[in-house]
Structure formats: C-alpha cells, structure tokens
Amino acid sequence: MHTGEQYHAVIQTSPRDRQVRERFQTLALDLLPKGADVLDFGAGTGIDAKVFAAHGHRTFVYEPSDAMKGYLAQHCQDEIARDTVTNVSLPLTCKVHGVTANFAVLNHIPDQAALFGDLASVVQPGGFVLASMLNPFYLGDARYSWWRANLLNLIRDGSYGIPSESRIHRFTPSAVARAAAPHFRLERLDPRGLGLATKLYMFLLFRRL
C-alpha cells in the first residue's frame, strides 16, 4: 500500500503516466466551457484538480482514500483556501458540467449501472463524463495467466473481476456504454481498432442526455 505522498511521487515521475495524464487533462479542458464546474471523481492526490482550478474551473473532488485525501489537502492547499477546490462526499450533491475519472478509478466499481445512475444526478444535461479506464484488450497483459483465464468471460459477459486487494475489474467499452444508458451516450472511444491492442488505457467520453 502506498501513502498519498508515495503515490504522488511515483505517478509524477513516470514518463508514461505523465503522458497519459496530460492527454486526459487536455481533453477534459477542451470539453469544459469557460468557467464551468467539474467533479474530479476519485481525485487521488489532486493532480488533475489543481490543473482544472488553475484554468478557472471550480473543482469538486471526491476521494474515498484517507491517505490520498491527506496529501490532496497538502497539494491543493492554496486552491482549497480560495474555494476553487472543494471536497465532497457521498451522496454527491454538487451540480457540474463534467465529471472526470482518471487512471482506472471506475475499474474499482463493479456496479457500473448504479454508478452512472448516481452521476446522472450530478451532471447537467449536455454535460459529460470522461473516464480513463484499463483497456481489457491490451496485449501487454496477455503474459499474465489471469488475462488468459478471463478472456472468455470478457467476450461472453463484457466484464470480469480479479480477486485481489484492489478488487480491480475489466470492462469492455460496450459493457460500460450499456451500463451508462439511458442517462449517458458513449460519444467517443480512444483508441479504436488495432490501437486497443497496444494501449494500456482507453479514454471513454459519455454525453449526458
């Protein structure tokens, strides 16, 4: 288990993780109208939240881990003092234009339909949910026995869970899209086609109906 400070240091010094995060942040900022509010769902240590706030977006942060929240309070100390970053808890009561969920946050939630039902009460009509999720088709994971053992489950059911402390799950994009309906429509998937074989993360953009 990492402390918030250890996690923050590791993810900030990984070139691959920084590249993925920067792409995610750019896409999120492009989707947000000027001055629009955003919910950073599973905010971690506040890396994304600090960037969103710096670009003029009041950012609500939901983070269930005490270790992460502790370091978030340090990393976003100035933004919290200015009320440009605000902690929220369940049930979510904020109203925002967009929700961001970076670095496989949604892979820890087995009941995707219930999740999107909750997010539907937060996101304004025409708004969005942008999620970075683990790509279940990534061939780099094919060397692991759990990937090979669950391939049939993925094809048959669209999802599977891996018994572990982290309780991580894998979902196909179509399975997440079904869970998001009727509140959200899958508007964009990146990568597509053969790119799904070579990228660890996939970006899914859902539009609130």
Side-chain angles (χ1 to χ4, degrees):
M1 295 294 290
H2 294 294
T3 66
E5 184 176 7
Q6 288 170 335
Y7 171 86
H8 189 91
V10 168
I11 204 163
Q12 285 289 72
T13 54
S14 164
R16 182 182 70 174
D17 288 343
R18 286 180 65 91
Q19 183 181 44
V20 172
R21 184 177 294 279
E22 288 167 6
R23 285 180 54 230
F24 185 89
Q25 291 171 349
T26 298
L27 180 54
L29 290 169
D30 286 345
L31 290 164
L32 286 166
K34 183 177 180 180
D37 292 349
V38 61
L39 167 64
D40 189 355
F41 186 82
T45 57
I47 298 171
D48 291 338
K50 193 176 186 75
V51 171
F52 299 154
H55 282 79
H57 300 286
R58 186 183 182 191
T59 305
F60 297 93
V61 291
Y62 169 70
E63 174 51 56
S65 165
D66 289 336
M68 296 295 181
K69 282 194 294 188
Y71 198 77
L72 186 153
Q74 179 179 333
H75 183 61
C76 296
Q77 180 178 2
D78 293 341
E79 291 80 9
I80 292 171
R82 293 194 298 266
D83 202 30
T84 56
V85 168
T86 303
N87 280 287
V88 294
S89 57
L90 295 177
L92 300 169
T93 57
C94 56
K95 296 292 185 180
V96 297
H97 184 79
V99 173
T100 61
N102 205 355
F103 278 105
V105 169
L106 300 193
N107 288 96
H108 293 272
I109 302 174
D111 192 343
Q112 296 278 295
L115 167 67
F116 278 96
D118 290 341
L119 294 181
S121 67
V122 172
V123 180
Q124 301 162 356
F128 67 88
V129 171
L130 176 65
S132 168
M133 300 184 71
L134 291 170
N135 173 12
F137 304 111
Y138 174 54
L139 289 182
D141 286 336
R143 64 186 183 275
Y144 299 117
S145 59
W146 55 260
W147 189 93
R148 299 189 299 273
N150 283 289
L151 188 56
L152 181 59
N153 294 331
L154 186 71
I155 295 170
R156 183 187 61 207
D157 303 327
S159 66
Y160 62 87
I162 300 173
S164 67
E165 186 176 357
S166 63
R167 294 177 294 178
I168 202 79
H169 289 71
R170 297 294 198 280
F171 302 95
T172 63
S174 59
V176 185
R178 288 193 299 271
H183 310 291
F184 296 89
R185 179 187 72 252
L186 179 60
E187 185 172 288
R188 177 176 173 181
L189 170 65
D190 181 32
R192 285 183 174 274
L194 292 177
L196 284 169
T198 61
K199 301 293 185 181
L200 176 59
Y201 291 99
M202 56 183 183
F203 291 178
L204 298 93
L205 172 62
F206 294 91
R207 187 66 62 179
R208 178 71 167 98
L209 301 175

